[in-house]
């Protein structure tokens, strides 16, 4: 009986020590949005894209590949390569230049006439390639988000 009690105590002790090992941090897809957009004289848009890490550990982000749709018009490709190490629950930005469709440009011009009361809906969808801190390889995370672009008062050709 004494020997059985000793074995049970040893098993409980070993199980307790195994449970004390390093906890695996939860990993969640990022949130991607447009922080700022500026129209350039050559017709291109310069997007400042905000990437929010929603995971419990830091992630090394390497690229975005997706699409941007303004209003209900045909979407354009959103693609960039970069190297951003974003801590847990933090965000960072990267800039992407793209050539919008004529309809997208017209929608912005129509909203600009209304001043700060004008806005245009947008959505972004795609994948972000990142390596979570506790993993050896990068992987793709799906993202999607929608919001509104409104002209910035006092700063021509700039939208937030």
């Amino acid at each position: 009986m004494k020997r059985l009690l000793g074995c049970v105590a040893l098993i409980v002790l070993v199980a307790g020590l195994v449970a004390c090992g390093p906890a695996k941090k939860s990993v969640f897809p990022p949130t991607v949005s447009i922080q700022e957009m500026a129209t350039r004289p050559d017709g291109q848009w310069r997007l400042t894209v905000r990437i929010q890490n929603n995971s419990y550990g830091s992630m090394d982000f390497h690229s975005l590949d997706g699409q941007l749709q303004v209003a209900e018009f045909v979407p354009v490709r959103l693609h960039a390569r970069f190297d951003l190490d974003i801590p847990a629950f933090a965000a960072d930005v990267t800039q992407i230049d793209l050539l919008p469709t004529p309809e997208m440009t017209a929608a912005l011009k129509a909203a600009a006439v209304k001043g700060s009361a004008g806005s245009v809906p947008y959505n972004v969808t795609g994948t972000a390639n990142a390596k979570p801190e506790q993993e050896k390889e990068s992987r793709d995370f799906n993202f999607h988000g929608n919001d509104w672009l409104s002209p910035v008062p006092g700063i021509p050709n700039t939208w937030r």
Side-chain angles (χ1 to χ4, degrees):
M1 182 68 156
K2 196 173 191 179
R3 179 181 250 187
L4 179 63
L5 218 54
C7 287
V8 168
L10 182 62
I11 291 172
V12 168
L13 179 65
V14 168
L17 289 175
V18 168
C20 292
K24 186 158 173 91
K25 296 180 181 178
S26 297
V27 176
F28 299 101
T31 302
V32 176
S33 60
I34 297 174
Q35 182 167 311
E36 183 175 278
M37 191 272 298
T39 57
R40 297 170 40 158
D42 63 359
Q44 286 192 359
W45 291 358
R46 172 156 288 167
L47 303 176
T48 302
V49 178
R50 183 178 192 270
I51 303 168
Q52 170 74 41
N53 179 6
N54 296 320
S55 297
Y56 283 88
S58 69
M59 293 177 71
D60 293 327
F61 286 86
H62 305 294
S63 67
L64 289 177
D65 193 18
Q67 60 184 21
L68 166 68
Q69 182 178 23
V70 174
E72 297 298 320
F73 301 116
V74 174
V76 294
R77 185 171 186 223
L78 190 64
H79 178 76
R81 290 194 149 313
F82 47 82
D83 193 20
L84 294 175
D85 181 17
I86 304 177
F89 301 110
D92 205 347
V93 297
T94 189
Q95 291 190 331
I96 302 174
D97 292 333
L98 61 85
L99 186 61
T101 65
E103 294 85 6
M104 293 166 74
T105 303
L108 281 185
K109 287 180 181 177
V113 170
K114 299 176 185 175
S116 60
S119 59
V120 179
Y122 78 87
N123 71 58
V124 289
T125 57
T127 58
N129 183 269
K131 184 181 105 36
E133 73 177 51
Q134 292 183 336
E135 296 181 16
K136 294 180 181 174
E137 297 294 321
S138 295
R139 58 182 166 132
D140 289 337
F141 294 90
N142 292 328
F143 67 83
H144 62 281
N146 1 321
D147 211 338
W148 297 83
L149 291 171
S150 300
V152 178
I155 306 176
N157 304 319
T158 304
W159 300 72
R160 290 191 182 136

